[in-house]
Amino acid sequence: MWLAHMPVLAMLGTFVAIVACIAHSLVRYICKTAICDSLLFFRVFHTAKLYLSFAVFVTYALVFYVPLDFMEPPLFRRFKIDKTKDPKKAFLLQVIFRSAIVTVTAVLAIAIPEIHLFISLIGAFASSVLAIIVPPILQIMLFYNVPEPRWQKMLWIAKSVFIVCVGVLGFITGTYTSLQNIVMFLRGEKQSPTPCY
């Protein structure tokens, strides 16, 4: 079964994505510095773009692996479909739902001309909350009643509060900067960087 190979597929997809991003960044850097017109560079740049596209293709299913586990059961309940009793209808509903998600993300990527501005806004908003603010709050909630010396408890509570404060600061500054860049772009004050083709 392919689920048994999921960790290997995840590592392979992550490796391909990292190599593709490094290659693409390197080629963009070279393009901005000197040799944009050479035929060899043209081939290398498009090879890097193809490699990055392949990395997105390989890792796209991994991105939706966990959210679909949460989104599909309510969908089956809403349409009163039991996966065990009627697997054909369940499979059809899965295909339609997943196709709709892929179509919506593709339409958003095409419709928003400067999508990197919105990606930075979502990253500043969600990453700071999920990666920096929530874990220390959960630690305080889970381990507050654990018996331990008072000074040790105060020490890790102070550490957690400090991390939350840093996260809130990053959340505010990152979200503000992203919103400021979006407003400047919509007003026409900030030109997007020229792509190197």
Side-chain angles (χ1 to χ4, degrees):
M1 179 122 187
W2 68 274
L3 282 176
H5 301 291
M6 197 63 180
V8 175
L9 292 174
M11 287 191 301
L12 177 67
T14 304
F15 174 75
V16 169
I18 289 170
V19 171
C21 289
I22 290 171
H24 191 261
S25 300
L26 181 65
V27 171
R28 293 285 269 192
Y29 173 75
I30 292 171
C31 176
K32 287 182 181 178
T33 54
I35 55 172
C36 224
D37 294 331
S38 97
L39 182 61
L40 173 67
F41 179 77
F42 182 76
R43 288 183 181 162
V44 169
F45 183 68
H46 283 288
T47 304
K49 283 174 61 175
L50 284 172
Y51 197 59
L52 189 61
S53 300
F54 177 71
V56 170
F57 177 74
V58 169
T59 58
Y60 197 74
L62 290 174
V63 170
F64 284 112
Y65 184 73
V66 173
L68 285 175
D69 277 350
F70 290 107
M71 292 189 292
E72 284 179 350
L75 190 69
F76 289 134
R77 283 194 301 271
R78 177 162 167 74
F79 287 99
K80 297 179 178 126
I81 296 175
D82 188 5
K83 287 176 84 170
T84 57
K85 293 180 181 174
D86 199 358
K88 288 185 179 182
K89 279 186 180 178
F91 178 73
L92 181 65
L93 184 62
Q94 277 183 328
V95 168
I96 290 171
F97 181 63
R98 292 176 183 196
S99 300
I101 288 177
V102 170
T103 304
V104 165
T105 56
V107 166
L108 285 174
I110 293 168
I112 301 172
E114 298 294 326
I115 198 161
H116 67 276
L117 296 173
F118 292 96
I119 289 173
S120 68
L121 175 64
I122 292 168
F125 188 80
S127 294
S128 59
V129 171
L130 289 175
I132 301 173
I133 297 172
V134 172
I137 292 173
L138 289 176
Q139 182 187 20
I140 292 172
M141 290 171 57
L142 290 173
F143 297 113
Y144 187 76
N145 292 327
V146 173
E148 59 185 340
R150 183 171 171 77
W151 67 269
Q152 195 174 6
K153 185 178 283 191
M154 288 298 143
L155 188 65
W156 67 258
I157 288 177
K159 175 202 67 151
S160 296
V161 168
F162 175 73
I163 293 172
V164 167
C165 291
V166 169
V168 168
L169 181 67
F171 169 77
I172 292 170
T173 56
T175 304
Y176 175 77
T177 304
S178 298
L179 287 173
Q180 186 180 28
N181 288 338
I182 290 171
V183 169
M184 287 174 65
F185 173 75
L186 293 176
R187 287 183 181 169
E189 297 173 11
K190 184 177 182 183
Q191 295 295 323
S192 63
T194 306
C196 179
Y197 294 92

